[in-house]
Amino acid sequence: MTAELVRGQNHTLPQTRLEIRVSAGTPVVAGATLGDERGTVRGIEWIAHPGSPQLPGLEVSQQAAADHRLAVDLEALPTGAHRVTVLLALPVGAGGPVRFGAVPAPFVAVTGLDGTEIASFTLTDLDAESAVSALELYRRQDVWKVRAVGQGYAGGLAAMLADQGVTEPAALAGTIQEAVTRGLARSVAPPPPRTPEGDRVRHATGSADHRPTAPPPAPEPPEPLTDPAATGPAHTAQPHTAPGPAAAGPAAAGPAAAGTSAGGPINYAHPRRQHAAPPSPPPTAPPAQPGQPAQPVAGDATGWSMDERLYNQIWGMFEDLARAVAAYRSAVDFAESRMDQELDRALSDPRNRIGGAGDRAREAARAKRDELTSRAREALDRDLAQLAAEAAVVEPALPAAYAGWGNPVWHAHRIPMEIPMALRIGDLHLPERTDLRIPLLVRLPLERGIWVDSGRAASEAAALMDTDRLRRLAMETAVAHAARLLAVYPPGEFAVHVIDPAGSAAGPLAPLVEAGVLAGPPAAGPGGVASVLAHLTRRVDLVQMAVRARAADSLPPDLDTGEQLLVVNDFPHGFDDRAVTQLRYLADEGPAVGVHLLMVADREEASAYGPILDPLWRSLLRITPVADSHLADPWVGHAWTYEPLTVPPGSRVLEQVLAAVAEARRAAGR
């Protein structure tokens, strides 16, 4: 039975191999310190944090997240460690909440390896604090216990570390926050929180649900359309609180479209939807045979439409796969740790060093390791088989916006009259089963720009590729994404501008140019760069002023209020200091008013600018033209392999889609 603790209360721990699960409803930094008998931290080598996540017997998350799973093996802690203190802090400069009083009360649970809760603690009554010592595991008379602490610090992470006895706490706090910023820049943004009624149906009756439970997050007040905290570098640091579907672009500039919900239930007020209807129930799977798991069915999550149900289902599959693999890896680590401990104990006994006793101890320890690993793999295989069956049903049912180029749905695609919830920009998979692909969906309107990395240092596959071929492939990837965006927006509501300073992308750009779907010819040379940037910067300024003044009708009649995409090739070639400043401004302020970046660039070629461009890179979602393991999920932080979407060899689907876009524009008089 779970012990529900209050501040100061303790509870005896029945085992030493544990998980500490944190659910906060908003991204938080999780760490832990080790203390001696007096609770003193002996040095930074006794602190686990995102920049240094592993210590003997202790492992924490490498990024800020709404949910954390900290692994603890009390028997493997360093000699002299008698206390483990779990610390939580809000990310600094992330554009999110700055005090715990503005977020749902964090929930912390100590569990066994099988997920059974031993003790839990809800950190209530926090207000101005931005860091908190949540709970501590401590040893007294050779018995380990857990104590609920809940001590908050208005001075933040540095004040909390100083209270732990850490020398130079401010410097260490800065190091931790820098590691968090880097982690958030590579994290995939999850969908908005779903209500319990909106959660997807679980078909895998034989597998464990690894999701921790926590109090539901309270909805936050809407943010203004031009809130700087929702744009630029700060925008990348809040991937776990993605706005709802009502994130309005400039076409909706006005009081009714001045903000979106940054938390709580999904806002179903679609910006292009003219009316609303209650959500329809999800499809029902056929009854399962006795002793067999239920058959998966496409659209098994509630929503207002089939597209929304599929969107929620895909994200549910993504989370299920992340947590299933996390449980497997944790079990394997435990088996290896247990074997090492048993071998150390056996070989430390002089009697086992002669005869066959030592060999028998080794064989027994390895056999136990193999048994634990085998059981963990069996559980994982069951989960993977169920997810693979679900993916096989879901993939053919996807609409064009969620489908790959090889899906037949693209051959019958018609330009829609309203934008979809999201767009697929690639696939993700883990090494435990590489053929199980999860579609990577980004919300529409885009909440973050995209950077296609054309550098050879981007990945192992890129390092083996010719530089010119890699750059061409990167630009072809950008063109394909631009085409997908044009194809899923209503006619005339999405415009694409291109900056190609040296004219080196004429080949990859040919489909867009020949179809006549660009806002203008690709801009070349310093003059062309300056002209396009000045045009889009003016548009951002005008829309911002109109929204702030609640005077959308005062916009110039020639201003295109549709979404704008700027494709930049070969950055920073052709960019002077002023152009670089304008580009950063568009990255910071543009997404909130419908101006988005799609950059093709090699970061090493821009190294002359130094750290001044670091916020620009962090503000963009980095993808690659070849497979690369650089994206992280927002739940447990696995490194996922990203696979770009490719047009099947010999297919003319890209040209057909662009021709349909051009025809729809002509029919609409655009």
Side-chain angles (χ1 to χ4, degrees):
M1 183 176 179
T2 304
E4 298 181 359
L5 306 180
V6 297
R7 276 186 177 84
Q9 187 177 2
N10 60 40
H11 182 73
T12 301
L13 295 172
Q15 57 201 83
T16 57
R17 178 71 179 180
L18 307 163
E19 280 190 348
I20 299 174
R21 302 186 177 187
V22 179
S23 295
T26 192
V28 297
V29 182
T33 61
L34 302 180
D36 57 20
E37 291 179 333
R38 294 173 301 203
T40 302
V41 179
R42 294 183 178 178
I44 59 173
E45 66 275 7
W46 272 24
I47 303 174
H49 57 81
S52 179
Q54 292 183 328
L55 297 178
L58 180 62
E59 182 175 359
V60 303
S61 305
Q62 299 184 48
Q63 63 186 52
D67 298 322
H68 292 272
R69 295 162 68 112
L70 284 62
V72 182
D73 187 349
L74 297 173
E75 293 182 355
L77 295 177
T79 303
H82 288 256
R83 184 174 302 181
V84 180
T85 304
V86 177
L87 313 175
L88 304 178
L90 294 170
V92 173
V98 296
R99 60 187 185 90
F100 275 109
V103 303
F107 174 82
V108 185
V110 180
T111 76
L113 293 180
D114 60 356
T116 302
E117 287 190 4
I118 300 169
S120 64
F121 174 40
T122 302
L123 285 75
T124 57
D125 300 326
L126 296 175
D127 187 12
E129 299 88 346
S130 59
V132 61
S133 175
L135 54 77
E136 62 182 12
L137 313 179
Y138 64 98
R139 179 165 54 190
R140 179 165 297 172
Q141 297 178 349
D142 294 329
V143 176
W144 282 95
K145 298 183 178 182
V146 56
R147 176 187 293 122
V149 180
Q151 175 63 53
Y153 297 84
L157 187 57
M160 181 167 58
L161 293 172
D163 194 41
Q164 295 274 322
V166 177
T167 57
E168 300 184 0
L172 179 58
T175 299
I176 294 172
Q177 295 291 357
E178 177 61 27
V180 170
T181 300
R182 291 195 303 268
L184 288 171
R186 59 186 284 269
S187 177
V188 177
R194 286 171 287 175
T195 61
E197 296 78 7
D199 202 1
R200 77 195 198 97
V201 178
R202 296 280 301 180
H203 287 311
T205 57
S207 62
D209 188 353
H210 305 295
R211 304 179 198 174
T213 58
E220 298 179 2
E223 298 177 359
L225 184 62
T226 56
D227 186 354
T231 59
H235 179 62
T236 68
Q238 49 178 341
H240 309 288
T241 53
T260 68
S261 176
I266 296 176
N267 181 355
Y268 292 104
H270 196 289
R272 301 285 186 260
R273 189 168 286 160
Q274 301 300 317
H275 59 84
S280 56
T284 303
Q289 297 297 322
Q292 298 294 325
Q295 296 301 310
V297 60
D300 71 346
T302 57
W304 289 81
S305 65
M306 187 61 172
D307 287 2
E308 189 165 343
R309 292 197 293 269
L310 287 167
Y311 175 83
N312 288 337
Q313 184 174 12
I314 289 170
W315 274 99
M317 293 166 59
F318 189 9
E319 183 175 0
D320 286 349
L321 180 55
R323 295 197 184 281
V325 171
Y328 166 71
R329 293 179 180 178
S330 178
V332 171
D333 290 344
F334 168 68
E336 294 286 349
S337 176
R338 174 66 63 86
M339 182 186 69
D340 292 341
Q341 293 174 29
E342 291 179 353
L343 289 175
D344 289 343
R345 285 196 296 267
L347 297 179
S348 64
D349 188 344
R351 293 172 297 180
N352 291 333
R353 298 175 187 172
I354 57 177
D359 292 336
R360 289 192 295 272
R362 291 188 187 93
E363 291 176 1
R366 288 168 182 157
K368 187 176 294 185
R369 184 273 313 272
D370 293 343
E371 179 188 1
L372 292 173
T373 302
S374 176
R375 284 161 46 191
R377 185 70 210 195
E378 289 176 2
L380 176 65
D381 287 342
R382 287 195 299 270
D383 287 342
L384 294 180
Q386 182 65 24
L387 285 169
E390 189 171 6
V393 172
V394 169
E395 187 70 35
L398 295 178
Y402 301 174
W405 285 116
N407 193 312
V409 70
W410 277 107
H411 293 283
H413 179 63
R414 296 293 181 267
I415 307 304
M417 297 308 295
E418 60 181 41
I419 65 173
M421 288 186 62
L423 182 74
R424 185 174 183 169
I425 63 169
D427 293 328
L428 299 172
H429 66 82
L430 291 172
E432 280 75 9
R433 182 158 178 176
T434 56
D435 64 329
L436 179 53
R437 307 296 176 90
I438 302 295
L440 175 57
L441 303 180
V442 294
R443 295 299 296 268
L444 294 181
L446 292 173
E447 298 160 350
R448 183 180 183 183
I450 298 174
W451 163 32
V452 183
D453 193 345
S454 62
R456 295 187 65 199
S459 66
E460 293 181 6
L464 300 175
M465 189 173 291
D466 175 75
T467 300
D468 292 339
R469 171 59 183 152
L470 183 62
R471 289 182 176 177
R472 181 181 179 88
L473 195 59
M475 194 60 194
E476 289 174 352
T477 301
V479 168
H481 288 317
R484 292 174 72 88
L485 285 163
L486 285 166
V488 300
Y489 268 81
E493 293 195 15
F494 195 88
V496 177
H497 308 260
V498 175
I499 290 179
D500 184 21
S504 59
L509 287 170
L512 295 175
V513 174
E514 293 172 1
V517 294
L518 294 178
V529 172
S531 175
V532 173
L533 291 176
H535 169 73
L536 292 177
T537 300
R538 172 179 175 270
R539 183 195 179 285
V540 171
D541 290 339
L542 290 174
V543 174
Q544 281 187 340
M545 289 188 291
V547 172
R548 289 168 180 161
R550 297 180 178 270
D553 55 352
S554 66
L555 290 170
D558 62 339
L559 186 73
D560 182 1
T561 57
E563 301 281 315
Q564 311 287 310
L565 178 71
L566 173 60
V567 180
V568 179
N569 181 45
D570 205 18
F571 176 82
H573 182 80
F575 281 71
D576 56 19
D577 290 346
R578 175 179 173 81
V580 169
T581 301
Q582 289 177 314
L583 191 69
R584 283 193 56 189
Y585 175 74
L586 293 178
D588 292 348
E589 303 294 333
V593 290
V595 177
H596 315 284
L597 290 183
L598 177 53
M599 289 182 54
V600 178
D602 180 355
R603 186 169 182 173
E604 291 186 359
E605 293 185 353
S607 59
Y609 286 94
I612 191 173
L613 287 181
D614 286 351
L616 173 64
W617 304 120
R618 287 198 296 263
S619 71
L620 305 172
L621 175 63
R622 174 179 171 259
I623 60 175
T624 51
V626 292
D628 183 39
S629 302
H630 68 280
L631 291 176
D633 65 81
W635 302 286
V636 293
H638 293 314
W640 293 71
T641 298
Y642 168 80
E643 293 272 3
L645 298 177
T646 57
V647 177
S651 173
R652 300 282 299 172
V653 64
L654 182 63
E655 289 78 8
Q656 292 171 7
V657 167
L658 291 175
V661 171
E663 178 59 30
R665 287 185 173 182
R666 286 191 293 269
R670 303 297 180 93

